Amino acid sequence: MKGKGTSDTVSVVDGDGNQCCWWWWLVHKGTTTTFLIVGLFALLVRAAVSLHPYSGFANPPKFGDYEAQRHWMEITINLPIQEWYRNSTSNDLSYWGLDYPPLTAYQSFIHGLFLRFVHPESVSLFTSRGHESYLGKLLMRWTVLSSDLLILFPAVLYFVIVRYGQPSRSRKSDIGWHIAMLLLNPCLILIDHGHFQYNCISLGFTIGAVAGVLSGKDLVACVLYCLALNHKQMSAYFAPAFFSHLLGKCLRRKHPLLEVSKLGFYVLGTFAAVWWPYLYSKDSILEVLSRLAPFERGIFEDYVANFWCASSIIFKWKRLFRSESLRILSLTATVITCLPSMIQQIKSPSNRGFLYGLLNCSFAFYLFSFQVHEKSILLPLLPASLLAMEEPFIFKWFMQFAMLSMFPLICRDGLVVPYFALLALFILIFDAPGQQRVKEGNYLYNYLGATTVRLVLFCYFILHIVYLTMNPPEKYPFLFEAIIMNVCFSQFVLVTLGCNIKQWVLNKPTKLEVDKKFI
Amino acid sequence: MGKQKLSSKGVQNSGCTKATLWWFYLVAACIKVLLFPSYRSTDFEVHRNWLAVTHSLPLSQWYFDETSPWTLDYPPFFAHFEHFLSMFAHLIDPKIVHLQEGLNYSANTVVYFQRGTVILSDLCLLYGVYRLTRNLDSRKQKLIWLSAIWSPMLFIVDHVHFQYNGFLIGILLISLSYLEEGRDLLGGFFFAVLLCLKHLFAVAAPVYFVYLLRHYCRGGIGRGFTRLLIMGGMVAAVFAAAFGPFFHLGQIQVIRRLFPFGRGLCHAYWAPNFWVFYIMSDKGLAFILRRLGFNVQTPTATFTAGLVGDSSPFSVLPQVTPLVTFMMVLLALSPCLLKAWKDPKPQMISRWVAYAYTCGFLFGWHVHEKASLHFVIPLAIVAVQTLEDAKHYFLLSIVSCYSLFPLLFEAQEYPIKVLLLLLHLILMWSGFSAQFPDGAETARAPTGHHTEKKVDQHKSNGGFVIGWIERMYLVGLVIVEIWGQFLHPLLLGDKLAFAPLMLISIYCALGIMYSWIWQLTFIVKSP
């Protein structure tokens, strides 16, 4: 009662225009209730998106990612664990063979059990290939919803609590806003609940790991990050940032070697636990590993807004070089672009620098590494959303172009309506009334200038309309895709350049503290 | 400091208020768009057929066409509304408005078009809410918007199940806002228009009649009579504009379509109202009497089917005819009418109208469960006035939202309806507890001072805390849901398949009865 009384007096004092007055119905009860409200809303949005079609819907013979995930459930619940990654008569690896690390397989196993319990036909061996039914779709959708609820949501709550601690009243609505930004990431919702994937699990573990680092619990962070890595090998985009930050931190302690070996022990332990069923022989480990490394595929797939794809309109990389040399080339480029932010973190590790480092390293991977999907944009998007409070303009800008870069994929999946609804919802919540966040005083914004920003945004919407309504010229059937990818690539480069510079400018804070000051 | 001064009340009021209101509407619209592919009831096809009927046939045939079983049974203005929409539908996809080929048409174009029109017609609700709340302080405004514009019931009924309630209730709210401002003629006009859009809103007509008679037509016999003539003339003009063309063609058919008294007392799924108890006690009595050895005839007709005829659906208790239900509604209304007659206060009109719809819902003939929207949304407008109001509204909105659950019976929408209800619950809880932090706050509310003082005495340390009876009731709601969804199919299988629905009806009827009694006491006690 006492707490309520004081909050009442405060609420009387602050005037009508104050932002907490706009959102007082949301933030009155404290962070957890705010999280609960935003979380329920985010779940509602996800449940609504899941009504829409998924990738490869009614599109035999290979269907799409939905069928891949369903097939993994079918394989994992019907075959012994040693055969999951092995080509055999009962496990045809050319038909959506498992190509994610063991944690994904375990997750498929658990979800498969659930599906078998409710609707056995949808996961029976062989006969269920290409299974599509009302109940099957529903159950599959619910497995994603529950994964989101069980992993991403708690991770976000953990992050927010660590990041903001006990907030002052005036910041409460900012926290509500940030929670909404994290949970209502339109790209993630579209890919997980529309297209059909389980990115929420690996990204959730990553957020947990970041929160662990921010709160100084490096060992927890290590374990969580290893879990993320073992769910999707793409999480390795974050590895340089984690590595350099933790190394930088250890070097500053009394016994650097001891600290590093402790972390190494935890990493190895987690890996050993996850890979346990495959550790009985070297062959079996290699068998799994060979499934994870996608080197037999090209340098990029479809149309991706990265360096290789964008520049391929001038240099035909695939024709000029052999696959092996391309591999080395892309690896070198990635490492070089990662280096600045890694060095900065080793030199002066800080929490904020770490978040920028995550963004810069994952961007380096997205732009230059081998075999990147358009969906991989979710990885750089994650640290950008963690930085939303510090870099609102960059976050919004990045999100818009990340959405655009997935637009061709979304069109193929028949998710245009949720695409626009989610984009609108994102912009509405980003620019929610009653906020005093300075959005325009940003360096990127200043660099571009107000006119350019408006012009680019205008082109942005025109591109959508053109892609939807016009047919490309016959000579260049992928003209629009190429334009979209080049526009996105140019913006991504701008964003990552800006963030790299920003990271280097922040060289002051060397103490490990939750930074309270922002723009 | 600068910020605070800049946004002090005078400057920010209208511009920011409108922007925020639009924000609420647009956020809701995004969710509504996401719900496009969700389940839709036959009402969707009903409305599509009306588009086709009004587009392809001349006015004289509208109420005669029987190509589809879903004949036009709304009043003429709604038909004109459909006619207006059909012009756009024709542009988008001519098949939508084709009388024969369009039957059960379910392409994306028709779904997106029709769902889109519902979202756009919600602008009417937006305007009504804006008119009613524009002079309130900004906190109350937002709370009202939260409950009215983000009403989970509207989502369920309009945007999943498919109807145009937001539009119609919007017109009711516009009418109420004019009455509250004292512009009775316009208030009466909009109510007359509403009646010509959907006649089910006529339940509140007695309240309107008494109120306008006493409030508008006052000031001596001469002036009062003139005003009565003006009002009467205006209402007559509206009705003439609606029904005139049809009567000119000599069609009484319109009336026959509008009042299908041939239908049963209850709708297919029993609306949670008084008759549920009546039916249950009849069944109970029949069972007991049979046990005691009396020869009780089992009724041949069911309550829900179209035919009542000669056979008696009740085995023990007296028959219920439309006239009986009509008299009961009037009887339940009478205290409210008396109050309106004695002291027609503009501040009370929303409550009185809401009360009228509650009575109509509880005692009316062939009531749909969806009709609970008619009083829940107007009550949302007054819910912020006192702490007691807030508590009552909190419970009522949850119960009536829950009573809509059987509308969406498919598994796909299950998480959506549950999440909508939970979100509403927690938003209301958080919002009301911010609005009423403790007893002192309530003293600032503008109306109903009498009740507040009582509240202050009883719950001086309270704030927004719901009592244990209400809490138990809400827990019971969860138990009813768990029983119906999981335990019943698990334990009893297919036996007594109707029991879970009946349980929901009975349990929600308790809550609505409580709300009715609460509203009645409030109205009777109000000074």
Side-chain angles (χ1 to χ4, degrees):
Chain A
M1 287 305 123
K2 200 181 161 197
K4 278 182 186 173
T6 48
S7 68
D8 179 34
T9 50
V10 175
S11 71
V12 174
V13 168
D14 54 42
D16 245 17
N18 198 321
Q19 41 176 304
C20 66
C21 194
W22 288 92
W23 300 108
W24 104 111
W25 49 268
L26 180 68
V27 301
H28 174 77
K29 284 276 176 183
T31 311
T32 321
T33 311
T34 310
F35 180 82
L36 213 60
I37 293 174
V38 178
L40 278 175
F41 182 74
L43 268 183
L44 176 68
V45 170
R46 284 161 162 78
V49 171
S50 72
L51 300 172
H52 292 261
Y54 44 80
S55 71
F57 174 69
N59 185 20
K62 279 282 261 182
F63 302 92
D65 276 350
Y66 172 87
E67 170 63 10
Q69 300 283 354
R70 197 210 52 73
H71 179 67
W72 296 346
M73 293 178 197
E74 170 197 333
I75 292 298
T76 47
I77 58 167
N78 288 305
L79 298 180
I81 197 161
Q82 288 80 12
E83 288 183 28
W84 289 354
Y85 290 89
R86 188 178 296 153
N87 205 11
S88 65
T89 48
S90 48
N91 185 11
D92 176 12
L93 286 183
S94 65
Y95 183 84
W96 298 118
L98 252 174
D99 52 3
Y100 280 131
L103 201 57
T104 295
Y106 303 147
Q107 164 242 316
S108 294
F109 177 72
I110 294 168
H111 287 155
L113 287 180
F114 166 66
L115 255 74
R116 183 161 70 182
F117 176 72
V118 185
H119 188 47
E121 299 94 85
S122 67
V123 283
S124 58
L125 196 59
F126 300 126
T127 55
S128 69
R129 279 203 186 173
H131 177 93
E132 283 184 323
S133 64
Y134 177 86
L135 190 59
K137 173 189 174 186
L138 208 62
L139 295 173
M140 292 283 282
R141 291 291 199 195
W142 286 356
T143 59
V144 192
L145 269 178
S146 59
S147 319
D148 230 341
L149 188 66
L150 291 177
I151 295 171
L152 185 80
F153 281 56
V156 167
L157 182 63
Y158 180 33
F159 172 79
V160 168
I161 287 172
V162 164
R163 185 86 179 78
Y164 298 104
Q166 283 302 309
S168 66
R169 205 181 151 74
S170 62
R171 290 202 64 196
K172 275 186 181 174
S173 69
D174 278 349
I175 296 170
W177 179 84
H178 199 179
I179 296 172
M181 288 295 105
L182 288 166
L183 291 182
L184 287 169
N185 180 337
C187 292
L188 181 61
I189 297 178
L190 270 177
I191 292 299
D192 275 10
H193 301 272
H195 177 87
F196 206 91
Q197 278 194 346
Y198 292 90
N199 293 298
C200 50
I201 298 179
S202 61
L203 294 181
F205 281 133
T206 310
I207 294 181
V210 170
V213 169
L214 294 188
S215 63
K217 297 195 176 73
D218 294 349
L219 299 177
V220 176
C222 262
V223 172
L224 286 175
Y225 179 66
C226 290
L227 289 179
L229 205 55
N230 275 311
H231 190 265
K232 280 204 156 188
Q233 62 270 45
M234 254 90 83
S235 304
Y237 286 20
F238 299 122
F242 273 98
F243 171 75
S244 57
H245 178 79
L246 292 178
L247 182 68
K249 255 182 173 176
C250 289
L251 291 180
R252 253 143 237 282
R253 297 233 173 92
K254 249 185 187 169
H255 310 286
L257 214 61
L258 184 74
E259 298 287 337
V260 172
S261 51
K262 228 159 84 185
L263 289 178
F265 177 73
Y266 272 83
V267 171
L268 287 179
T270 316
F271 266 86
V274 173
W275 286 67
W276 189 251
Y278 302 97
L279 292 181
Y280 62 93
S281 80
K282 203 177 143 195
D283 283 348
S284 69
I285 299 175
L286 286 178
E287 204 172 64
V288 180
L289 275 178
S290 69
R291 292 293 308 160
L292 304 186
F295 285 133
E296 69 276 16
R297 299 202 212 165
I299 186 153
F300 57 85
E301 251 181 39
D302 296 336
Y303 276 83
V304 187
N306 73 355
F307 173 75
W308 307 110
C309 179
S311 59
S312 69
I313 45 172
I314 306 164
F315 300 101
K316 299 290 171 206
W317 298 107
K318 287 182 185 173
R319 257 182 262 157
L320 285 171
F321 295 96
R322 281 183 307 127
S323 188
E324 293 92 71
S325 40
L326 270 181
R327 251 178 262 164
I328 295 167
L329 203 63
S330 62
L331 182 68
T332 331
T334 314
V335 170
I336 290 173
T337 38
C338 276
L339 270 183
S341 85
M342 285 179 74
I343 293 171
Q344 194 273 344
Q345 275 305 291
I346 294 174
K347 269 176 67 182
S348 56
S350 72
N351 283 342
R352 256 179 99 186
F354 171 58
L355 291 179
Y356 281 98
L358 282 172
L359 179 60
N360 292 328
C361 291
S362 49
F363 243 135
F365 272 84
Y366 178 80
L367 293 176
F368 295 103
S369 75
F370 195 81
Q371 237 283 313
V372 175
H373 286 264
E374 61 271 68
K375 282 158 273 179
S376 306
I377 196 64
L378 288 174
L379 292 142
L381 207 48
L382 179 80
S385 63
L386 297 178
L387 277 167
M389 197 73 100
E390 285 85 347
E391 300 283 1
F393 176 77
I394 284 192
F395 174 56
K396 186 185 180 190
W397 198 247
F398 181 18
M399 180 67 85
Q400 285 172 347
F401 285 96
M403 286 291 273
L404 179 62
S405 77
M406 299 193 317
F407 191 55
L409 172 81
I410 296 301
C411 286
R412 275 204 300 280
D413 290 347
L415 293 168
V416 178
V417 171
Y419 174 91
F420 284 111
L422 285 175
L423 187 62
L425 191 65
F426 170 74
I427 293 172
L428 278 170
I429 291 178
F430 185 90
D431 289 323
Q435 311 231 14
Q436 261 112 45
R437 195 164 296 101
V438 190
K439 284 167 208 124
E440 317 300 4
N442 182 273
Y443 51 93
L444 185 65
Y445 183 85
N446 292 337
Y447 173 73
L448 289 170
T451 333
T452 325
V453 166
R454 261 180 232 134
L455 198 73
V456 173
L457 277 181
F458 179 72
C459 296
Y460 177 77
F461 286 107
I462 294 294
L463 264 178
H464 281 108
I465 293 165
V466 165
Y467 190 81
L468 276 180
T469 53
M470 285 167 67
N471 286 320
E474 272 181 34
K475 209 173 158 196
Y476 306 105
F478 296 108
L479 177 73
F480 296 148
E481 278 90 348
I483 295 176
I484 288 178
M485 291 317 151
N486 275 287
V487 168
C488 291
F489 173 68
S490 64
Q491 299 310 314
F492 292 162
V493 169
L494 267 182
V495 168
T496 187
L497 273 179
C499 288
N500 264 302
I501 296 168
K502 188 75 191 272
Q503 192 187 349
W504 270 91
V505 175
L506 321 151
N507 48 6
K508 275 180 289 174
T510 46
K511 276 192 292 175
L512 306 167
E513 50 161 33
V514 181
D515 2 34
K516 282 172 186 147
K517 185 142 168 44
F518 66 113
I519 304 164
Chain B
M1 286 305 284
K3 278 175 202 160
Q4 281 213 354
K5 263 187 189 160
L6 194 89
S7 48
S8 66
K9 246 187 175 169
V11 184
Q12 58 114 223
N13 226 344
S14 69
C16 278
T17 307
K18 277 183 196 155
T20 317
L21 190 60
W22 275 109
W23 186 83
F24 274 85
Y25 170 77
L26 289 173
V27 168
C30 288
I31 305 292
K32 291 167 190 173
V33 169
L34 286 176
L35 290 174
F36 272 178
S38 57
Y39 155 84
R40 45 185 194 275
S41 70
T42 47
D43 276 351
F44 181 83
E45 171 60 14
V46 171
H47 284 91
R48 195 218 47 79
N49 185 47
W50 294 354
L51 286 175
V53 167
T54 51
H55 189 264
S56 357
L57 296 175
L59 188 93
S60 57
Q61 293 294 308
W62 285 2
Y63 285 92
F64 282 97
D65 177 73
E66 281 180 352
T67 320
S68 152
W70 314 116
T71 53
L72 188 54
D73 57 4
Y74 272 32
F77 276 174
F78 200 86
H80 286 295
F81 172 66
E82 294 278 4
H83 183 60
F84 171 71
L85 295 180
S86 70
M87 291 190 264
F88 300 99
H90 181 70
L91 292 178
I92 286 169
D93 183 358
K95 206 177 165 189
I96 298 175
V97 290
H98 198 285
L99 210 50
Q100 281 90 32
E101 282 177 26
L103 286 179
N104 295 314
Y105 189 41
S106 61
N108 273 351
T109 49
V110 64
V111 176
Y112 290 3
F113 173 76
Q114 291 214 72
R115 294 242 191 237
T117 59
V118 183
I119 297 177
L120 284 180
S121 68
D122 271 352
L123 285 173
C124 204
L125 177 78
L126 191 71
Y127 183 65
V129 171
Y130 167 69
R131 280 198 59 93
L132 272 170
T133 58
R134 59 183 166 174
N135 293 323
L136 293 176
D137 77 63
S138 96
R139 300 187 145 210
K140 285 185 179 164
Q141 272 180 345
K142 264 155 224 135
L143 216 50
I144 293 172
W145 299 345
L146 276 180
S147 50
I149 298 174
W150 288 3
S151 164
M153 299 172 69
L154 278 178
F155 275 90
I156 290 175
V157 178
D158 278 15
H159 302 279
V160 180
H161 176 85
F162 199 84
Q163 272 190 348
Y164 288 93
N165 288 297
F167 166 62
L168 299 167
I169 290 171
I171 294 193
L172 176 69
L173 295 186
I174 292 173
S175 161
L176 289 177
S177 74
Y178 278 115
L179 291 186
E180 283 196 358
E181 285 168 24
R183 295 159 80 178
D184 292 345
L185 199 59
L186 272 171
F189 169 76
F190 276 104
F191 187 66
V193 170
L194 178 67
L195 292 189
C196 295
L197 278 165
K198 192 174 182 179
H199 50 301
L200 287 179
F201 282 92
V203 183
V207 174
Y208 264 86
F209 179 73
V210 171
Y211 175 80
L212 289 176
L213 191 68
R214 293 288 293 166
H215 192 258
Y216 182 67
C217 312
R218 62 186 169 199
I221 293 180
R223 187 157 171 262
F225 193 67
T226 329
R227 287 196 150 195
L228 184 64
L229 277 184
I230 296 173
M231 181 63 82
M234 194 225 31
V235 171
V238 171
F239 274 86
F243 291 93
F246 297 96
F247 288 151
H248 177 70
L249 295 166
Q251 298 179 350
I252 308 301
Q253 171 81 356
V254 184
I255 303 297
R256 224 173 285 144
R257 281 274 176 89
L258 297 189
F259 297 102
F261 277 122
R263 296 188 195 172
L265 174 65
C266 290
H267 190 56
Y269 151 65
W270 302 348
N273 64 7
F274 172 76
W275 301 117
V276 169
F277 297 122
Y278 195 77
I279 296 169
M280 287 316 294
S281 36
D282 179 69
K283 298 232 176 208
L285 278 178
F287 180 75
I288 294 169
L289 288 179
R290 245 178 249 132
R291 274 291 162 90
L292 292 176
F294 290 92
N295 181 22
V296 180
Q297 281 202 331
T298 320
T300 45
T302 58
F303 305 101
T304 58
L307 292 166
V308 177
D310 305 326
S311 58
S312 76
F314 292 106
S315 29
V316 186
L317 293 176
Q319 294 312 303
V320 179
T321 61
L323 188 69
V324 172
T325 61
F326 181 70
M327 295 314 292
M328 284 193 65
V329 172
L330 267 190
L331 190 71
L333 263 179
S334 53
C336 167
L337 295 179
L338 218 68
K339 275 277 177 190
W341 179 270
K342 266 198 231 155
D343 184 14
K345 271 191 298 192
Q347 307 93 295
M348 288 297 285
I349 186 69
S350 299
R351 288 173 190 279
W352 289 336
V353 169
Y355 176 73
Y357 288 128
T358 316
C359 295
F361 183 82
L362 274 181
F363 303 108
W365 180 264
H366 196 82
V367 173
H368 283 246
E369 63 278 21
K370 288 160 269 180
S372 55
L373 269 169
H374 299 177
F375 55 91
V376 175
I377 305 281
L379 280 175
I381 308 291
V382 293
V384 290
Q385 288 182 356
T386 67
L387 178 62
E388 289 299 296
D389 270 320
K391 286 180 186 172
H392 161 249
Y393 177 74
F394 182 72
L395 195 75
L396 172 68
S397 63
I398 290 167
V399 173
S400 44
C401 180
Y402 179 67
S403 74
L404 296 177
F405 269 25
L407 274 183
L408 313 182
F409 53 87
E410 287 192 15
Q412 186 179 236
E413 281 75 24
Y414 190 76
I416 290 175
K417 63 185 182 185
V418 172
L419 285 168
L420 277 169
L421 179 58
L422 284 180
L423 188 63
H424 176 75
L425 185 148
I426 191 163
L427 271 176
M428 286 298 103
W429 177 70
S430 167
F432 283 138
S433 27
Q435 178 70 17
F436 304 104
D438 54 25
E441 181 89 358
T442 51
R444 301 201 314 212
T447 50
H449 287 286
H450 183 72
T451 25
E452 271 148 38
K453 271 176 199 143
K454 257 184 60 193
V455 173
D456 281 358
Q457 283 161 13
H458 286 302
K459 311 212 170 189
S460 52
N461 63 342
F464 185 76
V465 181
I466 48 170
W468 66 270
I469 299 179
E470 286 92 337
R471 223 173 277 185
M472 292 307 288
Y473 181 78
L474 290 180
V475 171
L477 221 53
V478 178
I479 295 171
V480 167
E481 180 60 14
I482 290 174
W483 170 262
Q485 285 298 325
F486 307 104
L487 297 182
H488 186 93
L490 211 66
L491 297 179
L492 296 175
D494 290 338
K495 271 186 285 174
L496 300 169
F498 59 91
L501 279 187
M502 211 167 69
L503 199 62
I504 294 178
S505 272
I506 295 170
Y507 200 74
C508 291
L510 280 175
I512 307 247
M513 286 293 270
Y514 159 79
S515 158
W516 174 66
I517 293 166
W518 186 90
Q519 288 184 57
L520 184 63
T521 1
F522 191 96
I523 286 169
V524 170
K525 279 186 182 167
S526 68

